[in-house]
Amino acid sequence: ARGKLLEQIFGDRDVITDSDQGKSFRAFWDFLMSPSRQDELSDLLDTVFTLPAITGLSPDRRLKRIHYDWLEAGEHTQRTVAQLSQQLRRYLDDQAYLENRRIMDVLHGIEAKSLALRDNQPQGTFSEIDSSAPDISLPMERPLYSPPIKPVFNDAILPGEHAALNTDILFDQVVINKDKLAGEIRKALQLRPQIMLAELIEHCPLEQGLAELLAWLSLASEDHKTLFDEIHRDTLHWTDSKGRQRSVHLPRIIFNR
């Protein structure tokens, strides 16, 4: 009821303020509150009263002070509005007091019922909440979509002064036949349940160097039966394309049937 009353009061006030009469009164009051405009009006009235046509009419001299009468009437209107505001504030204070008193009565009732149930508490779960805090997901916290940046490559080849561009390396690719290596593992496991990678490489030397060794390691990682012994380590040797001896130390890898 209080909310509806306040809504009606402030709604009517807005209607009055937005009406033509309300706008006129506001502009008129602003005019009365402006000392410079009051002085301007006094000068204009003095000028008008000195005109021969006006002097012949014998005007009432009180018209020169009419703006002071307007100011007194405006103050009376403002005092009326102030009285209405005081009455409204007093009404709200009374309503707030009654509302607070009602809330206290409700709390005292809850407290009395809680004390009465102190020795006879309810058993089991009688109230549940989904979470102790709300899970807030704000739409504006999500990052905006940003298109991926496509790099721009300059494919123009700048010839050197005395250097010739050698493109043979682009076509000299090393291809490792992993199926052949997997076949060697299956063939070896037909004769024994386990075999180490070092034994396989001793039987099938590395012809493609490090690339072939990586292929063996790839097969070992893909087979879930393969064991990696971190305690024991093996050393593998091979000869690269330039005839140099190469070696690598790695954990012992055991293939199982």
Side-chain angles (χ1 to χ4, degrees):
R2 183 179 63 177
K4 293 182 179 179
L5 178 60
L6 292 176
E7 182 180 0
Q8 181 180 0
I9 292 174
F10 289 111
D12 294 342
R13 180 182 176 87
D14 293 338
V15 170
I16 295 174
T17 304
D18 296 337
S19 64
D20 295 338
Q21 295 84 351
K23 294 178 181 179
S24 298
F25 178 78
R26 173 56 58 185
F28 179 68
W29 182 252
D30 293 339
F31 168 75
L32 294 178
M33 292 293 100
S34 176
S36 60
R37 300 180 70 180
Q38 289 289 324
D39 295 339
E40 181 183 1
L41 178 60
S42 298
D43 295 338
L44 292 176
L45 288 175
D46 292 338
T47 303
V48 170
F49 270 83
T50 58
L51 296 175
I54 301 300
T55 305
L57 297 176
S58 300
D60 190 351
R61 292 293 176 179
R62 290 178 299 177
L63 293 176
K64 287 187 175 183
R65 300 179 54 84
I66 190 173
H67 47 290
Y68 295 105
D69 297 335
W70 291 343
L71 182 60
E72 183 179 355
E75 290 178 352
H76 178 71
T77 303
Q78 294 295 337
R79 285 195 298 269
T80 303
V81 174
Q83 291 177 0
L84 292 176
S85 300
Q86 291 178 359
Q87 293 178 2
L88 179 60
R89 186 182 301 110
R90 190 179 303 110
Y91 170 76
L92 293 177
D93 292 340
D94 294 340
Q95 292 295 321
Y97 171 76
L98 295 176
E99 184 69 18
N100 293 335
R101 184 175 180 180
R102 188 185 68 84
I103 293 174
M104 293 303 299
D105 292 340
V106 172
L107 293 177
H108 289 158
I110 295 174
E111 183 180 3
K113 292 180 180 179
S114 300
L115 293 176
L117 295 175
R118 180 172 54 185
D119 298 332
N120 187 17
Q121 299 182 4
Q123 302 296 327
T125 302
F126 63 91
S127 179
E128 293 182 354
I129 58 175
D130 295 335
S131 178
S132 59
D135 187 11
I136 301 176
S137 179
L138 300 178
M140 298 305 296
E141 289 184 350
R142 302 174 184 173
L144 299 177
Y145 171 76
S146 57
I149 300 176
K150 296 183 179 180
V152 179
F153 297 98
N154 186 5
D155 55 357
I157 300 177
L158 300 178
E161 295 181 356
H162 302 288
L165 184 62
N166 185 9
T167 59
D168 294 340
I169 192 173
L170 298 177
F171 304 97
D172 188 11
Q173 300 293 328
V174 177
V175 179
I176 306 300
N177 190 352
K178 294 179 64 175
D179 294 336
K180 179 181 178 181
L181 301 181
E184 295 292 340
I185 297 174
R186 290 193 298 269
K187 185 187 299 183
L189 292 177
Q190 290 178 356
L191 303 176
R192 49 195 298 188
Q194 292 182 339
I195 188 170
M196 295 185 298
L197 176 61
E199 296 175 337
L200 285 171
I201 293 179
E202 184 179 355
H203 177 68
C204 302
L206 298 175
E207 298 178 355
Q208 303 294 336
L210 184 59
E212 187 175 352
L213 177 60
L214 293 177
W216 283 106
L217 296 177
S218 176
L219 292 174
S221 63
E222 294 173 358
D223 189 358
H224 65 279
K225 297 181 181 180
T226 303
L227 300 178
F228 292 85
D229 188 357
E230 298 290 344
I231 300 177
H232 301 87
R233 305 182 70 85
D234 294 331
T235 302
L236 306 179
H237 304 276
W238 73 90
T239 303
D240 61 10
S241 58
K242 296 182 179 180
R244 292 176 296 185
Q245 293 293 325
R246 300 289 185 179
S247 61
V248 63
H249 302 278
L250 72 166
R252 178 168 296 176
I253 300 175
I254 303 174
F255 294 95
N256 294 276
R257 184 183 301 173

